[in-house]
Amino acid sequence: SDFTDIVLVQETRGEPDGLVVCHLPFGPTAFFTLSNCVQRHDIEGVAPMSEAAPHIILNDFETKLGKRVGNVLRCMFPVPKPDSRRVV
């Protein structure tokens, strides 16, 4: 298949309140609760989104749970080019 991850956004009354990340084909699957979410189109004066692969910063994810969450998030993004300036 052509994809390795599925990301589902759960919403209630039009407001996102949950995020399911599933790594295919054998997992893991993680559910994240979203609160106080501000969508990009609700921010005034936002610049166009860059197409560059982002750098994901996972500092201080030292606990067992933190390492697991870091691995789930790390697998979603490709390795960025050295000159990339986009950060997630």
Side-chain angles (χ1 to χ4, degrees):
S1 85
D2 294 336
F3 52 93
T4 60
D5 294 282
I6 295 176
V7 178
L8 300 171
V9 178
Q10 178 181 338
E11 57 94 13
T12 303
R13 296 183 186 101
E15 293 295 321
D17 58 6
L19 186 71
V20 178
V21 179
C22 181
H23 187 68
L24 299 175
F26 303 114
T29 299
F31 176 80
F32 300 95
T33 300
L34 303 175
S35 60
N36 300 323
C37 186
V38 177
Q39 298 181 41
R40 186 173 165 265
H41 65 271
D42 293 335
I43 302 172
E44 294 182 22
V46 67
M49 184 63 67
S50 170
E51 295 294 325
H55 288 277
I56 183 165
I57 299 174
L58 299 170
N59 293 344
D60 298 327
F61 280 63
E62 300 298 328
T63 65
K64 192 173 184 180
L65 177 62
K67 289 179 182 180
R68 177 174 280 182
V69 169
N71 283 334
V72 168
L73 297 175
R74 186 179 296 117
C75 291
M76 289 177 42
F77 298 97
V79 177
K81 296 179 182 176
D83 61 343
S84 177
R85 295 185 180 190
R86 185 172 168 206
V87 176
V88 172

